[in-house]
Amino acid sequence: MTTYVPSVAYLGPEASFSHVAASRFFGKEGLVPHPTIPDCIEAVAKGKVAYAIVPLENALEGSVPLTIDYLFHGSDLFMTAEVKLPIEQHLLVHPQNAERVKEIDSIQSHPHALAQCHKYFQYHYRGVPLIQKTSTAEAARYVSEHPEENIAAVANQLAAKTYDLHVAEERIHDFHFNHTRFVVLSLRKEKFEKIGRSPEPKTTLMIRLPEDDESGKLHQILSVFAWRRLNLSKIESRPLKTGLGNYFFIVDVMEDEMNPMMQGAFEELAALDCTIQSFGTYYVYDYS
């Protein structure tokens, strides 16, 4: 009897943090690397893979705007799980340049990874150009393939091992509590029931205010949840891209969307002329 192995899109190449998160949650089989976050989202939206796992928020740098905006503006997907992963950033160089690490010409990585190490760069590599790559693993691969360039990558230990790089310095991120939230996306609503899930469910909503946006409307929206004792673990605004000052709100509620109180909240929000989009209810899996 064969075991079904779902295909899962992740932000590649191999040894990215998304790859680590996907491996922890799904195992090592069926993982398909994609060059960008939109490519991952499109792969599951078009049915090319069963799931996609993408970064949503980092403890140091906040939300990943590309993920949020692409989900809101360009897809009809659901969140089926959240994977919380500790993040450690290391400075990696090609082995033949290990003795020249103080003279590197540029440092390459994903924009969030570079931002997580801002103070380190200010103290140790002030003025050295920071080059953005699509992922930390892509930066590591580039350094591995270009030994003639005295450059460095910011990536994890798995990337150092995968691409045969020298770890010039470990844990260069500015704060030790560095975690990233990844979300598993699917075409259908479902909840994983794997071992190690959080005891309470989470529901992610996107709420758009009515166009008149009268005074006190945001307070009314928050009151919808407050008097029902629905705990909000996050509320964040993002631009609607329709004009300056126009926003939608991302809200994480620690409750199942089918709970009667949640259903009542949806009805009241609709009565306030708000547009509500639910990304479904899911559990959190913490791999710290």
mmCIF file of all heavy atoms in Angstrom, residues 3-21:
data_model
loop_
_atom_site.group_PDB
_atom_site.id
_atom_site.type_symbol
_atom_site.label_atom_id
_atom_site.label_comp_id
_atom_site.label_asym_id
_atom_site.label_seq_id
_atom_site.Cartn_x
_atom_site.Cartn_y
_atom_site.Cartn_z
ATOM 1 N N THR A 3 1.685 5.307 0.345
ATOM 2 C CA THR A 3 1.248 6.434 1.172
ATOM 3 C C THR A 3 1.204 7.690 0.327
ATOM 4 O O THR A 3 2.148 7.992 -0.418
ATOM 5 C CB THR A 3 2.216 6.637 2.350
ATOM 6 O OG1 THR A 3 2.271 5.439 3.122
ATOM 7 C CG2 THR A 3 1.735 7.792 3.229
ATOM 8 N N TYR A 4 0.103 8.417 0.418
ATOM 9 C CA TYR A 4 -0.040 9.651 -0.351
ATOM 10 C C TYR A 4 0.905 10.714 0.194
ATOM 11 O O TYR A 4 0.925 10.983 1.392
ATOM 12 C CB TYR A 4 -1.477 10.152 -0.281
ATOM 13 C CG TYR A 4 -1.652 11.561 -0.800
ATOM 14 C CD1 TYR A 4 -1.507 11.857 -2.152
ATOM 15 C CD2 TYR A 4 -1.950 12.605 0.074
ATOM 16 C CE1 TYR A 4 -1.660 13.151 -2.623
ATOM 17 C CE2 TYR A 4 -2.106 13.902 -0.384
ATOM 18 C CZ TYR A 4 -1.964 14.160 -1.734
ATOM 19 O OH TYR A 4 -2.110 15.449 -2.192
ATOM 20 N N VAL A 5 1.706 11.276 -0.681
ATOM 21 C CA VAL A 5 2.616 12.357 -0.314
ATOM 22 C C VAL A 5 2.186 13.611 -1.058
ATOM 23 O O VAL A 5 2.285 13.663 -2.290
ATOM 24 C CB VAL A 5 4.083 12.008 -0.664
ATOM 25 C CG1 VAL A 5 4.995 13.182 -0.317
ATOM 26 C CG2 VAL A 5 4.517 10.750 0.054
ATOM 27 N N PRO A 6 1.686 14.623 -0.373
ATOM 28 C CA PRO A 6 1.231 15.829 -1.075
ATOM 29 C C PRO A 6 2.398 16.617 -1.651
ATOM 30 O O PRO A 6 3.506 16.598 -1.107
ATOM 31 C CB PRO A 6 0.526 16.628 0.033
ATOM 32 C CG PRO A 6 1.203 16.185 1.284
ATOM 33 C CD PRO A 6 1.545 14.739 1.083
ATOM 34 N N SER A 7 2.148 17.272 -2.771
ATOM 35 C CA SER A 7 3.154 18.164 -3.331
ATOM 36 C C SER A 7 3.019 19.533 -2.668
ATOM 37 O O SER A 7 1.910 20.034 -2.467
ATOM 38 C CB SER A 7 2.967 18.289 -4.846
ATOM 39 O OG SER A 7 1.638 18.659 -5.160
ATOM 40 N N VAL A 8 4.158 20.111 -2.309
ATOM 41 C CA VAL A 8 4.164 21.357 -1.535
ATOM 42 C C VAL A 8 5.144 22.351 -2.162
ATOM 43 O O VAL A 8 6.341 22.048 -2.294
ATOM 44 C CB VAL A 8 4.573 21.094 -0.070
ATOM 45 C CG1 VAL A 8 4.514 22.393 0.737
ATOM 46 C CG2 VAL A 8 3.694 20.030 0.560
ATOM 47 N N ALA A 9 4.651 23.510 -2.531
ATOM 48 C CA ALA A 9 5.512 24.565 -3.063
ATOM 49 C C ALA A 9 6.129 25.347 -1.917
ATOM 50 O O ALA A 9 5.457 25.638 -0.925
ATOM 51 C CB ALA A 9 4.708 25.510 -3.959
ATOM 52 N N TYR A 10 7.424 25.660 -2.050
ATOM 53 C CA TYR A 10 8.089 26.495 -1.047
ATOM 54 C C TYR A 10 9.059 27.441 -1.734
ATOM 55 O O TYR A 10 9.482 27.204 -2.868
ATOM 56 C CB TYR A 10 8.831 25.630 -0.019
ATOM 57 C CG TYR A 10 10.063 24.926 -0.546
ATOM 58 C CD1 TYR A 10 11.315 25.532 -0.498
ATOM 59 C CD2 TYR A 10 9.981 23.646 -1.097
ATOM 60 C CE1 TYR A 10 12.448 24.892 -0.991
ATOM 61 C CE2 TYR A 10 11.111 23.002 -1.586
ATOM 62 C CZ TYR A 10 12.346 23.637 -1.529
ATOM 63 O OH TYR A 10 13.462 23.012 -2.016
ATOM 64 N N LEU A 11 9.400 28.517 -1.032
ATOM 65 C CA LEU A 11 10.336 29.499 -1.572
ATOM 66 C C LEU A 11 11.740 28.897 -1.550
ATOM 67 O O LEU A 11 12.311 28.684 -0.487
ATOM 68 C CB LEU A 11 10.286 30.791 -0.750
ATOM 69 C CG LEU A 11 11.280 31.891 -1.147
ATOM 70 C CD1 LEU A 11 11.042 32.345 -2.582
ATOM 71 C CD2 LEU A 11 11.171 33.080 -0.191
ATOM 72 N N GLY A 12 12.263 28.602 -2.727
ATOM 73 C CA GLY A 12 13.550 27.940 -2.841
ATOM 74 C C GLY A 12 14.686 28.922 -3.091
ATOM 75 O O GLY A 12 14.518 30.136 -2.953
ATOM 76 N N PRO A 13 15.849 28.329 -3.412
ATOM 77 C CA PRO A 13 16.083 26.915 -3.650
ATOM 78 C C PRO A 13 16.204 26.125 -2.344
ATOM 79 O O PRO A 13 15.858 26.642 -1.273
ATOM 80 C CB PRO A 13 17.413 26.912 -4.422
ATOM 81 C CG PRO A 13 18.127 28.129 -3.906
ATOM 82 C CD PRO A 13 17.043 29.147 -3.667
ATOM 83 N N GLU A 14 16.722 24.909 -2.455
ATOM 84 C CA GLU A 14 16.896 24.051 -1.294
ATOM 85 C C GLU A 14 17.699 24.752 -0.197
ATOM 86 O O GLU A 14 18.625 25.503 -0.477
ATOM 87 C CB GLU A 14 17.630 22.773 -1.716
ATOM 88 C CG GLU A 14 17.813 21.763 -0.615
ATOM 89 C CD GLU A 14 18.581 20.538 -1.061
ATOM 90 O OE1 GLU A 14 18.856 20.426 -2.278
ATOM 91 O OE2 GLU A 14 18.890 19.691 -0.202
ATOM 92 N N ALA A 15 17.316 24.516 1.053
ATOM 93 C CA ALA A 15 17.984 25.039 2.259
ATOM 94 C C ALA A 15 17.552 26.451 2.631
ATOM 95 O O ALA A 15 18.175 27.080 3.475
ATOM 96 C CB ALA A 15 19.505 24.974 2.139
ATOM 97 N N SER A 16 16.484 26.957 2.047
ATOM 98 C CA SER A 16 15.905 28.213 2.524
ATOM 99 C C SER A 16 15.171 27.952 3.833
ATOM 100 O O SER A 16 14.907 26.799 4.199
ATOM 101 C CB SER A 16 14.929 28.780 1.485
ATOM 102 O OG SER A 16 13.805 27.913 1.350
ATOM 103 N N PHE A 17 14.817 29.007 4.557
ATOM 104 C CA PHE A 17 14.036 28.814 5.778
ATOM 105 C C PHE A 17 12.660 28.230 5.455
ATOM 106 O O PHE A 17 12.111 27.449 6.242
ATOM 107 C CB PHE A 17 13.898 30.135 6.534
ATOM 108 C CG PHE A 17 15.147 30.555 7.252
ATOM 109 C CD1 PHE A 17 15.948 31.574 6.753
ATOM 110 C CD2 PHE A 17 15.546 29.925 8.417
ATOM 111 C CE1 PHE A 17 17.108 31.950 7.408
ATOM 112 C CE2 PHE A 17 16.703 30.291 9.080
ATOM 113 C CZ PHE A 17 17.492 31.311 8.574
ATOM 114 N N SER A 18 12.102 28.602 4.305
ATOM 115 C CA SER A 18 10.823 28.020 3.887
ATOM 116 C C SER A 18 10.963 26.523 3.667
ATOM 117 O O SER A 18 10.052 25.745 3.976
ATOM 118 C CB SER A 18 10.333 28.698 2.596
ATOM 119 O OG SER A 18 10.046 30.057 2.817
ATOM 120 N N HIS A 19 12.104 26.112 3.130
ATOM 121 C CA HIS A 19 12.374 24.690 2.937
ATOM 122 C C HIS A 19 12.437 23.968 4.284
ATOM 123 O O HIS A 19 11.892 22.864 4.445
ATOM 124 C CB HIS A 19 13.686 24.514 2.168
ATOM 125 C CG HIS A 19 14.012 23.091 1.847
ATOM 126 N ND1 HIS A 19 15.296 22.609 1.798
ATOM 127 C CD2 HIS A 19 13.209 22.019 1.583
ATOM 128 C CE1 HIS A 19 15.283 21.324 1.498
ATOM 129 N NE2 HIS A 19 14.028 20.943 1.357
ATOM 130 N N VAL A 20 13.100 24.585 5.258
ATOM 131 C CA VAL A 20 13.177 23.997 6.595
ATOM 132 C C VAL A 20 11.781 23.861 7.198
ATOM 133 O O VAL A 20 11.427 22.809 7.757
ATOM 134 C CB VAL A 20 14.080 24.843 7.517
ATOM 135 C CG1 VAL A 20 14.062 24.300 8.940
ATOM 136 C CG2 VAL A 20 15.508 24.890 6.982
ATOM 137 N N ALA A 21 10.971 24.931 7.088
ATOM 138 C CA ALA A 21 9.614 24.898 7.638
ATOM 139 C C ALA A 21 8.777 23.813 6.968
ATOM 140 O O ALA A 21 8.051 23.066 7.635
ATOM 141 C CB ALA A 21 8.950 26.263 7.472
#
